[in-house]
Amino acid sequence: MREAVTILLPVVLPALAGILLLAAKEPERKGVITWYTGAVLVATAVLVAVCVVSVNVPVTFFYLLDQVPVCFAPDHMGKVFALVVTLVWVPAGFFSFSYLKGGKKQKRFYGFYLIVYGILNALNFAGNLVTFYVFYELMTLLSMPLVLHEQTREAVMAGLKYLFYSFCGAYMALFGLYVVWHHSGTFVFTERGTLDPSLVSGNEGILLLAACFLLLGFSVKAGMFPMHGWLPVAHPVAPAPASAVLSGLIVKGGVLGMIRVIFYTFGADFLRGSWVQTLFLTLALITVFMGSMLAYLEKGLKKRLAYSTVSQVSYILFGLFLLAPAGLTGSLLHVIFHACIKSCLFLCAGAVIRQTGKQCVDELTGIGKEMPVTMWCFAICSLALIGIPPASGFISKWYLCVGAFDAGIPVVSWLGPVVLLVSALLTAGYLLPIVIRGFFPGQDYDYAVCKRREGSAFLVVPVVLLAAIALVGGMVTGGLTGYLSDLAGQLL
Amino acid sequence: MSFVQNVPFFSIILSMFSGIVSSMLPAKAARWVNTCLIVAVGLMSGILLVYLTNTGEPFVYWMGHFPAPWGNEIRAGVLEAGMALFFCLIMFLSMIGGRRQLADEVAENRQNLYYILVDLLLSSLLALVYTNDLFTAYVFVEINTIAACGLIMIRQIGRTFEAALRYMIMSLLGSGLFLISLCMLYDLTGHLLMSNIKESVALLVAQQEYTVPLMTTIGLLCAGLAIKSALFPFHSWLPDAYGYSTVSSAAMLSSLVSKGYIFLLIKIFYRVIGFEIIAQSKIINVLFIFGLLGMIFGSMSAIQENDIRRMIAFSSVAQIGYIYMGFGLGTEAGMTASIFHIFSHAATKSLLFVAAVGLTDVSKGRREFIELTGSAYRNKMAGIAFTVGCLSMVGVPMFSGFVSKLLFAEASIGHAHKMLPAVLVLALSTILNAIYFMKTVIRIYVPDYRSDCKTITVKNQKVYALTLLCFMVLNVALGMLSKPIENWIHSGLAMFG
Amino acid sequence: MFGPNLFTNYGEAVSVILFVIGFSNLLMQKNLIKKIIGLNIMDTAVYLFLAEKGYIRDRVAPIVVDGVQEVEAYINPVPSGLVLTGIVVSVSVTAIMLSLTIRLYRRYHTLDLDEISMLLKKEGR
């Protein structure tokens, strides 16, 4: 009972608070909404922390059908993801207080922002595939209003695309889910898989197909080629804090889904050496390269960052599909780091757009003189994302390369690191010029028009915080890396 | 004999009697009688349901004083009682939700006719649900057809006349097949009561006599009811009939009339032929294939449709395909899924029809998608309700549609031969569903603040909003309380035995 | 296999043939009146079938005259009852069909259902 309440609170509190906010009348003073949202965000963060510390057993709530329980089981993996979500969601929320100030429909934005936070907590704590699927769908649906927020034609079309891709993906996953469910021994995520060996024998073919569908389905959210089309359209049209969490966290919902499928449902041994592994390794590598390339060619700042997400998340997927401990450790590290880095980059972009109105990369000459703090954070995050030591991206990419060598898969073991390296160079190619030209505008820059445009504390502090994590994460990693490689060791 | 056992007979006769009385009443009084009737029958069915759940035994009720092989009988189990209750609930909500349109679209002096027809419809549906006699079933099938035809053409425009005529023709083809097959069955077995026929059929099958005539007869029986319930490709009448009739008619036609026939077919499977025999025959393979085709082609037509009401109607074709696919699996799990889908579809489809009217009302009565742009902002409650209905249809978790899809998939996964086609088509049709329903939802939420369209707030139409709310609650309840409902369907099917 | 059976049961065979004729007329005729005639042929075929099944050679309808009460003297009354009920049903259905046809004819001056559909499309409602 105590566990049930402890798990439910971080889910129900923000969800109810959000619904309440949506249902309430527009208050006289706008400040009330932000105070309310801020209080709920902090309270939920505390509740998540409590839940992570104190709950270790699965809790079943009710049965959807016979043998289809809805249950929560906060294991190590779920806890890691829950902490990452909290780490980014709360600062991004505070950022939006200033970002959206004076904007329309704030009540609706904060309402859905809170609800999705609750849903994400539920997603991370979900104890079996059906529960996971239920909250996965809800996440898609309820994050839609964040994409649609601006209500321009562009935003609506992007929302439509987002919904289409997500639903198609989710139904592919659903198909796999049915098959897996039928061959499962237990209905709670178990390390090394839930498949019942007596049911599996003779059905390997259909199960591999099911695995393929499940993974393809979840890979839509993770923006993997060939289902990445929605991501660069949908992420940039949202308000910056929403793009930050969409790009930093919601895509990780897809990653978590794939982790749950590979390591907690099928078990790595079942997939190792199969065509599914080969297929997804190939797709992930293609996406890593293609995403970087498209980002390099893109001129819009937010859109470039969105393409970068496409590429970076596939780093994570590549690590997963190596099915090697080092690769998985690298993936998990990259989940954490990428969440912080990409959110920070989006928030920086948001701050720039809000303060200067400049959306295009070419217009950003000299921006470093105008908004030095923001651009310093941008620079740090760029370096971290490229993977230059001592910033955090280096550690995760190091582990990914080690994993690629360890896995000993022909071709991939040398092609993988090469592609990762090339993509890192491209990452440098599309991020560093912004920083360089921002700080060193060149001789024809007119210093006279330059003035300080740094925003309020709400615009600066979250960015600095996330950038600090991105930087420090690369230096003080002993405990974290050890914990994650233990976790990876248990799964493989 | 307990007094509660009079409920089935009493509710049938009460509905017929109210119909007759209403013919002499003005419209307002007839409406009042109708509402009271539906509530009363619903309450009685509820009591019957509780009674049957407690006793756990179905009962047979003699009509007249003749015992089994000769007399006419009514029979009630939990599934019958639950179905009656559910029909009343949906009918009540549909009538209330469409009340305002009815006043607009039907001439003042004809309105009491409408309530007579609804009373008759209820009585025939109840009779179809409860009867234990095949010929009685035929008679009430025809009464049902006539009442439904009246419901379509009560709104007197050319389209509805044409739709009613097409509906009549298709229905008569179906009931003709039903009639001849029932006569042949009578010829083969010498009985008209379901339980007696079942014994004789079992004997015939055991002795392997008259195999070809028996199977032909059963096939014709299924074909007749399949035509009547608009299984693809016999659905040509459906979009016009659902699309142009007044909204409560459309809601009732899609969620009650066709479901009444399907329920009769289920009863025939279990109580007349015997589920084992039907499961081994080739007939269900045919139903299975047409079900699958319906699932795909219904959705395809819905995607191409430019009129919101007709789109919802075409989606019915797909959903009926689901139900027949469940039959086609020929397993207990498939039947359970189909029966659950009857509930889920009835609840959702009537919600969609009622909500769609709210949206067209604020778009100058136009139903083309382009005109509906932004209508969800002009009528917020209808917008929300429509979205909920769409989400349920698409199969988003928490709503009823998800559970029925889950049940269908569970039923088909274990199946030896039909697993792959069933699951693939299920996935495909779900995606198609998502395409056209989500398209509509996006369309109604695209901002377009037109000044020339009126807006409707909850305060303007309290009753309408309340109806939609009830529908939504029903939908979510079906989605969340699926486990007890599933158990209840199982016990109901066991009582058929 | 079918030969002798068909010959002895020629009444049933005829009624089934009639049923098929009526059925296909109802389904395929364009003219509404012909459709309705098809409907009636179809229903009548069923009554013929029932009457044929219900009749037993050398027996009479079960109306007790002259005090004869043995079962062997009479035919089964149930099929005749079914026929009567069926006639009532088919009459009412035919009446509805005819009234609908009249409505449509007055409006569109044609009995061809496809033509009516076309006219409706032109009307654009």
Side-chain angles (χ1 to χ4, degrees):
Chain A
M1 189 58 209
R2 189 184 62 82
E3 280 90 1
V5 174
T6 322
I7 295 182
L8 271 189
L9 269 178
V11 178
V12 172
L13 174 78
L16 276 186
I19 294 170
L20 202 68
L21 191 56
L22 289 177
K25 275 211 174 98
E26 195 82 37
E28 296 282 316
R29 289 179 46 229
K30 298 285 180 205
V32 177
I33 300 180
T34 53
W35 279 109
Y36 174 79
T37 312
V40 175
L41 280 176
V42 171
T44 314
V46 172
L47 287 172
V48 170
V50 169
C51 184
V52 165
V53 173
S54 67
V55 182
N56 292 308
V57 288
V59 182
T60 303
F61 285 98
F62 71 105
Y63 282 79
L64 206 56
L65 297 172
D66 271 345
Q67 302 189 327
V68 185
V70 168
C71 81
F72 289 133
D75 53 0
H76 290 289
M77 188 62 77
K79 287 176 179 173
V80 169
F81 274 83
L83 285 179
V84 173
V85 166
T86 301
L87 201 61
V88 177
W89 202 269
V90 178
F94 279 99
F95 180 88
S96 62
F97 294 158
S98 179
Y99 183 83
L100 290 178
K101 205 169 190 177
K104 280 185 295 183
K105 304 272 181 191
Q106 287 186 41
K107 187 168 73 87
R108 190 182 61 189
F109 181 85
Y110 292 125
F112 280 107
Y113 194 81
L114 288 177
I115 296 175
V116 178
Y117 187 26
I119 299 290
L120 272 174
N121 287 333
L123 187 81
N124 294 327
F125 292 146
N128 62 28
L129 262 185
V130 169
T131 316
F132 186 88
Y133 180 80
V134 167
F135 288 104
Y136 184 79
E137 287 268 44
L138 286 179
M139 175 179 82
T140 306
L141 271 178
L142 294 168
S143 56
M144 255 274 284
L146 300 183
V147 177
L148 290 173
H149 183 76
E150 307 283 349
Q151 293 206 341
T152 53
R153 186 172 172 76
E154 196 193 353
V156 171
M157 294 323 279
L160 183 69
K161 207 165 181 180
Y162 174 50
L163 205 62
F164 256 40
Y165 273 86
S166 296
F167 270 145
C168 289
Y171 288 123
M172 267 196 266
L174 194 58
F175 166 75
L177 185 112
Y178 293 144
V179 178
V180 175
W181 205 252
H182 200 70
H183 294 95
S184 285
T186 61
F187 300 115
V188 178
F189 286 134
T190 321
E191 285 159 10
R192 294 164 194 272
T194 57
L195 290 183
D196 184 347
S198 62
L199 293 171
V200 169
S201 62
N203 291 324
E204 283 88 357
I206 186 91
L207 274 170
L208 279 178
L209 193 70
C212 177
F213 271 96
L214 265 169
L215 293 171
L216 269 181
F218 287 128
S219 78
V220 172
K221 223 8 151 282
M224 194 180 74
F225 173 83
M227 266 89 65
H228 63 284
W230 63 276
L231 198 149
V233 182
H235 284 180
V237 299
S243 336
V245 294
L246 280 170
S247 231
L249 300 176
I250 303 273
V251 289
K252 302 300 188 302
V255 173
L256 180 62
M258 294 172 95
I259 291 177
R260 292 297 195 191
V261 170
I262 302 171
F263 300 104
Y264 289 85
T265 304
F266 284 94
D269 295 331
F270 183 79
L271 295 175
R272 187 171 287 128
S274 68
W275 59 269
V276 177
Q277 189 191 7
T278 320
L279 173 73
F280 279 88
L281 277 174
T282 320
L283 287 178
L285 283 181
I286 293 175
T287 321
V288 166
F289 179 72
M290 190 200 63
S292 298
M293 202 65 210
L294 289 172
Y296 185 71
L297 299 172
E298 177 60 47
K299 291 290 173 221
L301 178 56
K302 282 175 92 178
K303 210 158 182 184
R304 179 176 282 190
L305 293 177
Y307 274 120
S308 156
T309 301
V310 171
S311 159
Q312 295 296 325
V313 173
S314 277
Y315 274 78
I316 300 172
L317 302 185
F318 175 71
L320 293 185
F321 283 104
L322 289 172
L323 303 177
L328 183 56
T329 313
S331 288
L332 293 176
L333 282 170
H334 207 58
V335 164
I336 300 169
F337 296 149
H338 177 254
C340 297
I341 295 169
K342 191 47 63 68
S343 318
C344 183
L345 288 176
F346 263 112
L347 293 184
C348 290
V352 168
I353 290 169
R354 179 173 164 87
Q355 298 303 105
T356 65
K358 291 172 182 169
Q359 306 222 2
C360 207
V361 176
D362 298 337
E363 299 166 344
L364 294 179
T365 315
I367 192 74
K369 304 286 173 196
E370 297 177 13
M371 304 175 68
V373 181
T374 309
M375 282 318 283
W376 267 107
C377 293
F378 192 92
I380 291 169
C381 286
S382 304
L383 295 180
L385 196 64
I386 299 161
I388 294 171
S392 58
F394 172 71
I395 312 286
S396 50
K397 290 189 182 180
W398 174 265
Y399 271 96
L400 287 175
C401 289
V402 172
F405 288 124
D406 281 357
I409 303 161
V411 185
V412 173
S413 63
W414 61 265
L415 185 66
V418 169
V419 172
L420 296 195
L421 207 64
V422 171
S423 164
L425 286 178
L426 283 169
T427 311
Y430 63 73
L431 284 178
L432 287 185
I434 303 173
V435 177
I436 293 170
R437 268 193 285 149
F439 282 113
F440 308 107
Q443 292 183 339
D444 49 349
Y445 182 69
D446 182 7
Y447 283 87
V449 296
C450 165
K451 59 177 180 194
R452 291 298 288 262
R453 301 198 199 203
E454 207 68 70
S456 68
F458 277 132
L459 281 186
V460 176
V461 174
V463 174
V464 173
L465 181 71
L466 288 171
I469 297 172
L471 185 66
V472 175
M475 302 185 204
V476 205
T477 50
L480 181 65
T481 318
Y483 175 74
L484 291 179
S485 43
D486 283 352
L487 180 55
Q490 282 165 15
L491 294 175
L492 283 156
Chain B
M1 194 180 92
S2 163
F3 182 72
V4 185
Q5 295 188 351
N6 289 310
V7 163
F9 172 72
F10 193 62
S11 40
I12 296 171
I13 218 71
L14 187 68
S15 342
M16 290 198 115
F17 190 69
S18 334
I20 295 166
V21 169
S22 299
S23 63
M24 289 172 284
L25 296 176
K28 240 188 183 146
R31 186 174 85 197
W32 196 77
V33 168
N34 177 264
T35 314
C36 290
L37 167 73
I38 298 172
V39 172
V41 173
L43 281 180
M44 286 196 294
S45 312
I47 293 168
L48 182 65
L49 182 60
V50 173
Y51 167 78
L52 282 165
T53 324
N54 286 338
T55 58
E57 284 287 319
F59 65 84
V60 167
Y61 183 91
W62 291 0
M63 304 277 285
H65 294 284
F66 297 100
W70 301 285
N72 198 343
E73 281 178 358
I74 279 178
R75 185 181 176 284
V78 276
L79 205 51
E80 285 95 328
M83 215 37 131
L85 173 63
F86 187 73
F87 280 175
C88 288
L89 188 62
I90 296 287
M91 189 177 255
F92 181 73
L93 291 177
S94 309
M95 286 305 287
I96 297 206
R99 184 179 283 176
R100 233 174 38 76
Q101 275 68 34
L102 191 69
D104 290 349
E105 288 169 352
V106 178
E108 185 73 36
N109 56 349
R110 287 179 192 277
Q111 281 184 15
N112 77 327
L113 287 179
Y114 191 78
Y115 295 105
I116 299 171
L117 288 169
V118 175
D119 294 345
L120 272 185
L121 185 76
L122 182 61
S123 91
S124 61
L125 279 173
L126 290 171
L128 286 185
V129 167
Y130 285 124
T131 185
N132 196 26
D133 179 287
L134 264 188
F135 199 79
T136 314
Y138 165 72
V139 172
F140 280 98
V141 160
E142 291 288 31
I143 294 179
N144 206 351
T145 309
I146 293 171
C149 179
L151 289 184
I152 298 172
M153 65 181 185
I154 195 90
R155 181 181 178 209
Q156 304 222 328
I157 58 171
R159 283 275 197 186
T160 55
F161 284 130
E162 189 228 3
L165 198 64
R166 283 190 188 277
Y167 173 70
M168 258 333 234
I169 292 166
M170 268 302 162
S171 282
L172 291 174
L173 289 173
S175 46
L177 285 179
F178 184 68
L179 179 61
I180 188 100
S181 57
L182 114 82
C183 292
M184 279 151 79
L185 209 55
Y186 179 48
D187 175 25
L188 282 166
T189 61
H191 291 290
L192 283 172
L193 282 182
M194 295 189 178
S195 359
N196 300 79
I197 299 180
K198 190 179 174 186
E199 286 165 19
S200 308
V201 167
L203 205 64
L204 283 178
V205 171
Q207 294 169 346
Q208 299 203 318
E209 281 184 75
Y210 295 113
T211 318
V212 176
L214 186 65
M215 281 305 141
T216 319
T217 310
I218 297 173
L220 287 179
L221 204 61
C222 296
L225 285 175
I227 291 177
K228 288 190 79 88
S229 50
L231 175 63
F232 177 88
F234 307 110
H235 65 280
S236 54
W237 56 271
L238 188 143
D240 279 357
Y242 292 6
Y244 297 102
S245 51
T246 182
V247 59
S248 33
S249 301
M252 284 192 285
L253 282 169
S254 63
S255 49
L256 304 181
V257 176
S258 56
K259 301 300 178 295
Y261 299 136
I262 290 172
F263 189 74
L264 181 62
L265 188 60
I266 295 173
K267 268 177 74 161
I268 287 175
F269 281 170
Y270 274 89
R271 308 236 342 106
V272 178
I273 306 162
F275 193 63
E276 305 294 310
I277 297 168
I278 194 84
Q280 283 158 13
S281 70
K282 301 270 187 297
I283 294 162
I284 55 162
N285 295 348
V286 179
L287 292 183
F288 181 71
I289 289 169
F290 281 115
L292 291 187
L293 289 176
M295 282 160 74
I296 293 176
F297 284 99
S299 301
M300 303 267 249
S301 316
I303 288 176
Q304 292 160 4
E305 195 49 65
N306 191 30
D307 174 325
I308 186 166
R309 288 272 294 275
R310 283 171 61 94
M311 182 200 84
I312 303 172
F314 270 120
S315 136
S316 281
V317 177
Q319 304 303 319
I320 286 167
Y322 278 88
I323 296 176
Y324 276 92
M325 184 202 81
F327 291 168
L329 290 172
T331 55
E332 176 100 11
M335 287 311 260
T336 313
S338 289
I339 294 174
F340 189 88
H341 199 62
I342 292 179
F343 292 113
S344 126
H345 177 235
T348 314
K349 200 38 72 70
S350 37
L351 163 65
L352 280 176
F353 273 119
V354 175
V357 154
L359 296 178
T360 50
D361 267 359
V362 288
S363 314
K364 298 185 207 154
R366 303 296 296 267
R367 298 118 148 249
E368 292 82 15
F369 285 123
I370 191 91
E371 302 284 336
L372 289 174
T373 314
S375 53
Y377 295 107
R378 300 193 286 271
N379 190 347
K380 292 218 170 81
M381 194 65 187
I384 293 171
F386 193 83
T387 312
V388 167
C390 288
L391 294 180
S392 171
M393 276 286 157
V394 172
V396 172
M398 318 283 279
F399 301 108
S400 60
F402 176 68
V403 177
S404 54
K405 292 220 163 84
L406 205 62
L407 281 170
F408 275 121
E410 231 180 40
S412 48
I413 290 285
H415 206 281
H417 314 295
K418 293 173 183 164
M419 166 170 153
L420 211 57
V423 173
L424 281 181
V425 172
L426 205 60
L428 181 65
S429 118
T430 308
I431 289 174
L432 293 176
N433 274 350
I435 289 177
Y436 61 85
F437 277 123
M438 286 303 124
K439 181 184 81 177
T440 320
V441 169
I442 297 283
R443 169 61 73 186
I444 63 174
Y445 274 105
V446 170
D448 174 32
Y449 301 102
R450 282 193 285 181
S451 51
D452 54 343
C453 290
K454 60 176 177 176
T455 48
I456 293 178
T457 57
V458 178
K459 276 181 197 133
N460 295 143
Q461 299 186 356
K462 284 204 184 92
V463 179
Y464 178 72
L466 198 64
T467 318
L468 289 178
L469 193 67
C470 290
F471 267 128
M472 286 192 272
V473 169
L474 182 65
N475 228 309
V476 175
L478 280 173
M480 302 294 276
L481 301 175
S482 42
K483 197 186 171 201
I485 296 175
E486 195 199 2
N487 292 339
W488 166 74
I489 292 174
H490 276 305
S491 64
L493 286 179
M495 280 194 194
F496 270 155
Chain C
M1 168 184 174
F2 292 115
N5 282 343
L6 252 180
F7 204 67
T8 39
N9 294 335
Y10 63 90
E12 286 84 343
V14 168
S15 65
V16 168
I17 291 169
L18 271 177
F19 181 88
V20 173
I21 292 173
F23 189 86
S24 38
N25 263 307
L26 178 56
L27 185 62
M28 293 191 278
Q29 283 290 354
K30 278 185 183 164
N31 189 306
L32 285 173
I33 298 292
K34 287 187 185 168
K35 266 186 192 292
I36 295 169
I37 293 173
L39 164 71
N40 279 296
I41 296 176
M42 188 171 85
D43 281 346
T44 318
V46 178
Y47 309 144
L48 177 63
F49 183 86
L50 278 172
E52 184 68 32
K53 292 318 302 182
Y55 179 67
I56 305 172
R57 190 175 285 271
D58 300 328
R59 295 192 189 177
V60 292
I63 302 162
V64 181
V65 281
D66 310 332
V68 182
Q69 294 221 343
E70 298 93 68
V71 178
E72 284 73 28
Y74 302 117
I75 62 165
N76 181 2
V78 176
S80 322
L82 298 188
V83 170
L84 280 178
T85 321
I87 288 175
V88 173
V89 171
S90 84
V91 163
S92 45
V93 171
T94 312
I96 286 202
M97 287 284 276
L98 283 171
S99 70
L100 266 172
T101 310
I102 292 170
R103 282 291 178 109
L104 280 172
Y105 186 75
R106 284 204 187 130
R107 231 172 238 247
Y108 300 104
H109 306 290
T110 170
L111 284 172
D112 187 332
L113 196 52
D114 294 340
E115 211 166 300
I116 293 174
S117 299
M118 264 173 40
L119 287 171
L120 275 168
K121 284 226 176 73
K122 254 186 224 160
E123 243 178 42
R125 297 198 46 179

